[in-house]
Amino acid sequence: MKPINKLILATIAATAIHPAIADEKPPPGAMALSTVLTKLEQQGFTPIVEVDLDKGRWKVEAYKGDQKHELEVDPNSAEILSDKPDS
């Protein structure tokens, strides 16, 4: 399959699932995402490479030094609930 065809198919697939993802929003009282990310950066998690909202919690992939981490973060307090090294 030609690379352009793969790109078109990937775009169509992403567009098709986007509405399901876009329906989830942070819980009432949640901090602005920019504030949460700033707090993570102040703790040494930089660069932040991916952010997703899952079941009302931020799932964040970020580096601390040379190690990539998968974080689960409370959207109301920016508290790190889970920190797992990503292999």
Side-chain angles (χ1 to χ4, degrees), residues 1 6 14 22 25 33 36 39 44 48-50 55-56 58 75-76 83-84:
M1 183 180 278
K6 288 181 182 179
K25 63 181 185 177
L33 177 56
V36 172
K39 289 180 177 286
I48 294 171
V49 295
E50 187 173 334
K55 298 177 186 169
W58 291 115
N76 294 65
D83 179 355
K84 298 177 185 172

Side-chain angles (χ1 to χ4, degrees), residues 23-84:
D23 287 343
E24 188 167 4
K25 63 181 185 177
M31 294 179 170
L33 177 56
S34 58
T35 303
V36 172
L37 298 180
T38 297
K39 289 180 177 286
L40 292 174
E41 288 173 337
Q42 291 170 343
Q43 295 176 57
F45 291 100
T46 185
I48 294 171
V49 295
E50 187 173 334
V51 179
D52 189 22
L53 188 64
D54 184 34
K55 298 177 186 169
R57 294 186 174 166
W58 291 115
K59 305 290 183 175
V60 179
E61 289 187 15
Y63 285 86
K64 191 167 192 176
D66 291 336
Q67 178 65 49
K68 189 174 182 183
H69 294 256
E70 291 182 4
L71 307 171
E72 185 174 319
V73 182
D74 183 293
N76 294 65
S77 66
E79 176 186 357
I80 297 172
L81 304 171
S82 173
D83 179 355
K84 298 177 185 172

